[in-house]
Amino acid sequence: MSETIQQDEIKQKSMLRLIFTHEDGGVLIGKNGRHITKLKESTSASWFVSRSSDGADRLVVLRGSIEELSNAVFALAQHLGEQADQSRLSESSTQFPTLRFLFPTKCIGSILGLGGANIAKIRADLDVSWLHVFHDAIPFSSERIVEVSGSEASLQAVTSWLLQTTMPELVDLQQTSTVYCPTKNGLRQMQLQERQRASCDQHSRHTSSSVVQFDKERLSRKRSHSSLEVDSYRPTAVHRDADRKRPRRSSDNSSTRSTKHHSPSTRPERYVHSPRHSYTDSNRHVSSEQQEKLVVPDSIAGRLIGRSGNHLSSLKERSGAQIELSPRVPNMQDRVVTVSGRPSQVSSACKLIRDSIRSFEDLET
């Protein structure tokens, strides 16, 4: 008796959630709700279609028993197939209609099975052309997409199998988990991420297989004669002579072999221009540079630049510093002048700029 009551409760509480793009959801509803009304009348399941604003995705929520839900999916797939024949859906290029179910993440393990064994079995047994579980959950939710493509009968059978596999945990998880709230282009973004991930995984698998094949070929390849000679090194007569000390010549006296201390003016050219010393000199030059920023009214910035940049070029030549103005930004009354160079150059340039601004302001008054 208790088992019968529990089964009746499951029949009443069974719920199936599907996701569609904004365009496909509009075709699903039809003009003035004609299509969705027809689907409701042809099935005994309860139908609910979410409202779409600003191009948000559409959610279709079906309620009823497992048999009622599978029959509703059959009618839905049949309707999508008819619309695909008329080339009115964005997925009309596929041979069979594609449905995307939303399941809580904790139910995905029972759907996949150990090592994805259930997926391969369902593809073969139920004649499904495509069955795929998205790797990641939808952002800001705990639901994942189960994508199925096939004929109307195969979609009906897969729906029944999905519900039987995940029940009765599906009922509790749907009530406690965070469900997906439709957003604009949410489904398209998830599809794009899934395709990018699949391409990356395929590339990594191809790379790893190539590396393994290369290692196998390298291990199986016979070692060359030169590598054997390196491993079995034996000092020859030439090597032994090279290890001996060079005989002392008459020119090697104590004065010539003693350490010579060169003055900076008489240092060898190779020592003076060595990378170490040139690097230190360049660092000393970089550290001596200075940068200062001035705020200039936008109304005066044009005069500071001058016609064809003549005034700004004159300031650069007179001070020797680098002077740059920030680009004009709408609704901003000031612009930034960046002055860089040696401290004396920066000081001279700042003084010239301030004098120029003061003269411009005097002319306005």
Side-chain angles (χ1 to χ4, degrees):
M1 182 67 179
S2 61
E3 295 180 357
T4 305
I5 295 175
Q6 185 178 6
Q7 291 179 359
D8 294 338
E9 291 178 354
I10 292 175
K11 289 180 180 180
Q12 295 176 0
K13 294 180 181 180
S14 297
M15 181 175 66
L16 192 62
R17 291 165 52 85
L18 298 94
I19 182 173
F20 294 88
T21 60
H22 173 73
E23 295 78 10
D24 294 350
V27 175
L28 176 64
I29 297 174
K31 187 176 182 180
N32 297 326
R34 180 180 58 187
H35 295 163
I36 192 65
T37 302
K38 181 180 178 182
L39 290 172
K40 290 180 179 179
E41 293 176 353
S42 62
T43 60
S44 56
S46 174
W47 291 71
F48 170 78
V49 181
S50 64
R51 295 181 178 272
S52 178
S53 60
D54 298 331
D57 297 334
R58 294 272 191 176
L59 288 182
V60 176
V61 182
L62 303 175
R63 294 181 182 272
S65 63
I66 295 179
E67 183 178 359
E68 291 173 344
L69 295 179
S70 58
N71 293 335
V73 169
F74 180 85
L76 178 60
Q78 192 174 17
H79 171 72
L80 294 179
E82 294 174 357
Q83 298 301 319
D85 294 338
Q86 301 175 8
S87 301
R88 296 178 59 185
L89 279 177
S90 61
E91 297 174 347
S92 58
S93 59
T94 57
Q95 184 179 1
F96 297 110
T98 301
L99 298 179
R100 298 174 182 88
F101 302 95
L102 296 180
F103 281 91
T105 304
K106 293 184 179 180
C107 294
I108 299 300
S110 57
I111 295 176
L112 293 175
L114 185 61
N118 291 346
I119 300 296
K121 186 175 184 300
I122 291 302
R123 287 176 181 172
D125 295 349
L126 302 182
D127 194 19
V128 179
S129 61
W130 176 255
L131 177 59
H132 176 69
V133 179
F134 279 41
H135 187 272
D136 298 323
I138 303 177
F140 308 107
S141 73
S142 57
E143 289 185 312
R144 289 168 67 177
I145 299 176
V146 179
E147 194 174 54
V148 188
S149 178
S151 62
E152 293 84 351
S154 61
L155 290 176
Q156 182 183 18
V158 169
T159 303
S160 178
W161 177 83
L162 288 173
L163 293 172
Q164 291 177 0
T165 304
T166 56
M167 296 295 283
E169 292 82 4
L170 177 63
V171 178
D172 299 331
L173 292 174
Q174 285 177 340
Q175 295 177 356
T176 57
S177 60
T178 305
V179 297
Y180 168 62
C181 295
T183 58
K184 183 177 180 180
N185 296 327
L187 177 58
R188 296 188 186 279
Q189 292 178 1
M190 288 295 298
Q191 290 175 320
L192 179 61
Q193 294 177 4
E194 193 68 15
R195 284 195 294 267
Q196 291 176 349
R197 186 180 186 87
S199 61
C200 291
D201 293 343
Q202 184 179 4
H203 176 71
S204 61
R205 286 195 297 268
H206 175 72
T207 304
S208 60
S209 61
S210 301
V211 171
V212 172
Q213 183 68 21
F214 174 75
D215 291 339
K216 290 182 179 179
E217 293 178 357
R218 186 178 61 179
L219 292 175
S220 60
R221 188 168 56 238
K222 187 177 180 180
R223 300 176 69 182
S224 63
H225 182 66
S226 59
S227 63
L228 290 175
E229 285 184 349
V230 172
D231 292 340
S232 57
Y233 168 74
R234 295 291 185 275
T236 60
V238 177
H239 297 146
R240 284 193 295 269
D241 293 340
D243 292 339
R244 296 175 183 173
K245 292 183 178 181
R246 183 175 61 85
R248 184 176 179 179
R249 300 190 181 97
S250 59
S251 60
D252 294 341
N253 50 35
S254 58
S255 60
T256 57
R257 289 189 295 116
S258 61
T259 304
K260 296 182 180 180
H261 299 279
H262 300 277
S263 61
S265 59
T266 59
R267 284 179 179 175
E269 186 178 357
R270 61 180 178 84
Y271 178 78
V272 174
H273 297 284
S274 62
R276 179 169 60 88
H277 288 271
S278 61
Y279 176 78
T280 306
D281 295 340
S282 62
N283 282 352
R284 188 181 298 110
H285 176 68
V286 171
S287 62
S288 63
E289 289 190 356
Q290 184 180 349
Q291 188 181 79
E292 189 170 345
K293 295 185 179 181
L294 303 175
V295 178
V296 179
D298 186 47
S299 58
I300 300 179
R303 298 183 182 181
L304 186 64
I305 297 173
R307 180 176 294 179
S308 301
N310 293 334
H311 190 266
L312 187 62
S313 301
S314 175
L315 295 177
K316 291 181 180 178
E317 293 178 359
R318 293 168 60 185
S319 63
Q322 294 292 331
I323 306 174
E324 296 180 356
L325 269 77
S326 63
R328 178 176 294 176
V329 179
N331 301 327
M332 291 291 293
Q333 298 180 357
D334 297 327
R335 296 174 69 175
V336 179
V337 180
T338 304
V339 183
S340 59
R342 292 195 295 272
S344 59
Q345 296 173 343
V346 173
S347 177
S348 176
C350 292
K351 184 179 182 302
L352 292 174
I353 293 172
R354 292 190 182 97
D355 293 342
S356 301
I357 294 174
R358 194 176 299 110
S359 62
F360 295 150
E361 290 177 348
D362 294 339
L363 290 174
E364 290 181 355
T365 56

